[in-house]
Amino acid sequence: MSTPLRTVIILALMLLSATASVIAAPSFEIITPEKEIEKSHTFQLLVKVTTDAKLSAMSIAPIYPQGFCMEVVLTPGITATEHAKPERLSADTTATHPVAECTGIRDIAHVAVLDKNSMIIPFTVYPPDSNGMPETGDKRSYYSTRDKKTFAFNYAYRIEHDDGSSTDGHASQEIRLRYTTTIGYYLLAGLFGVFLGYTVKVTTRDRQEIGAAMTEVRGFFPRLRRFAGLLLIERLPMLLTLLVIGFAVLISMAQESLPVASWHQAVALGIGLGILGDEKLIAAIK
């Protein structure tokens, strides 16, 4: 056999081997919730594995944001272990150092064999609660809702070839999800903002009337009671109307998803609604 022909055959075999390895590599897909994620609301991330080859010893290790915990949902063919976490409590129950987040939660999924098929591995995700506490362990920091949260997965697997040989493979994926406060905090903060906006509106619009009424009394606390009476009692119908309409607008804006990510943004939104005024809000709703 001539040298050029031998070279062509070797190259062809190498190409066929590379093509077969690409074809044999499994595909991974992360199925996410349709809406954003909220504090204290658990949700699921589904990892779909599809392969045209026989896989063995497959492991799926998630990497999740600080304050979050993830747990494998055990279904037939899936086992789980807990990855090592720092600052774990020792056997001495009097130890005072903090417990690591997600201690005791099995978050790494293992699949012994997947033969030319597909499988969905579900993970339950536990965000921090409304007060920012993780599912287990001690709070590490303030878990901000300003930025999207990144969830990553590392995959390790072994491809079993028909000739009895095997090839180890690795892959990784990541997704980013919008993270918001709870709808309860959003509504409370929004209504507080509506009240602040109402206060600014009334004191600006009726400043002469309020100023004249305040000069009739002396002392800090008597003036404070007089101001509260002007704001909360004499104009109570306007305040209640504005709060009800503001509540309706906040609810309508949150039908698909929360329009803001944090409670302080909800306060700012409420202030705008309060300053806008009841008449304009009614016109906007119509």
Side-chain angles (χ1 to χ4, degrees), residues 4-243:
L5 182 57
R6 186 184 302 110
T7 303
V8 171
I9 292 175
I10 292 173
L11 290 175
L13 290 175
M14 292 175 60
L15 180 60
L16 286 173
S17 176
T19 305
S21 126
V22 170
I23 295 174
S27 65
F28 300 93
E29 177 187 2
I30 304 174
I31 303 173
T32 63
E34 294 183 359
K35 295 184 178 181
E36 74 276 354
I37 56 178
E38 296 182 20
K39 278 186 176 181
S40 76
H41 288 204
T42 61
F43 63 96
Q44 281 195 334
L45 292 177
L46 308 178
V47 177
K48 184 176 182 180
V49 183
T50 305
T51 178
D52 294 325
K54 181 179 180 180
L55 301 182
S56 64
M58 180 169 63
S59 298
I60 301 175
I63 303 171
Y64 35 88
Q66 192 176 33
F68 285 70
C69 295
M70 289 182 67
E71 184 174 28
V72 180
V73 179
L74 299 180
T75 58
I78 300 174
T79 59
T81 57
E82 177 189 3
H83 80 266
K85 303 178 178 72
E87 296 182 352
R88 181 188 306 279
L89 275 180
S90 64
D92 180 8
T93 57
T94 63
T96 58
H97 58 273
V99 181
E101 295 170 352
C102 309
T103 298
I105 294 182
R106 295 183 294 176
D107 49 6
I108 301 179
H110 303 280
V111 177
V113 177
L114 182 61
D115 192 2
K116 300 179 181 179
N117 210 327
S118 63
M119 174 180 282
I120 292 179
I121 297 94
F123 289 83
T124 298
V125 184
Y126 302 96
D129 64 16
S130 299
N131 297 319
M133 292 296 296
E135 179 72 9
T136 66
D138 297 320
K139 186 175 180 178
R140 287 289 184 270
S141 64
Y142 172 71
Y143 307 122
S144 174
T145 57
R146 297 177 182 176
D147 302 322
K148 290 184 177 182
K149 299 302 179 183
T150 300
F151 296 82
F153 291 86
N154 286 329
Y155 309 105
Y157 54 88
R158 179 172 296 125
I159 301 175
E160 304 288 349
H161 301 293
D162 294 336
D163 60 3
S165 62
S166 63
T167 304
D168 290 337
H170 298 83
S172 63
Q173 281 182 312
E174 65 179 50
I175 56 170
R176 301 188 71 204
L177 299 177
R178 184 170 177 258
Y179 177 51
T180 68
T181 186
T182 63
I183 190 168
Y185 277 22
Y186 158 75
L187 290 174
L188 287 176
L191 288 176
F192 178 68
V194 170
F195 175 74
L196 292 180
Y198 157 80
T199 303
V200 172
K201 175 184 176 181
V202 170
T203 53
T204 303
R205 185 189 64 187
D206 303 333
R207 59 183 179 275
Q208 293 183 349
E209 177 187 347
I210 293 175
M214 296 293 288
T215 57
E216 298 175 0
V217 294
R218 293 289 184 271
F220 175 77
F221 288 105
R223 286 189 173 186
L224 183 62
R225 286 193 295 268
R226 180 58 177 156
F227 179 75
L230 291 170
L231 205 65
L232 303 177
I233 298 176
E234 295 185 13
R235 293 169 174 80
L236 182 61
M238 176 183 175
L239 174 59
L240 292 179
T241 301
L242 195 59
L243 287 175

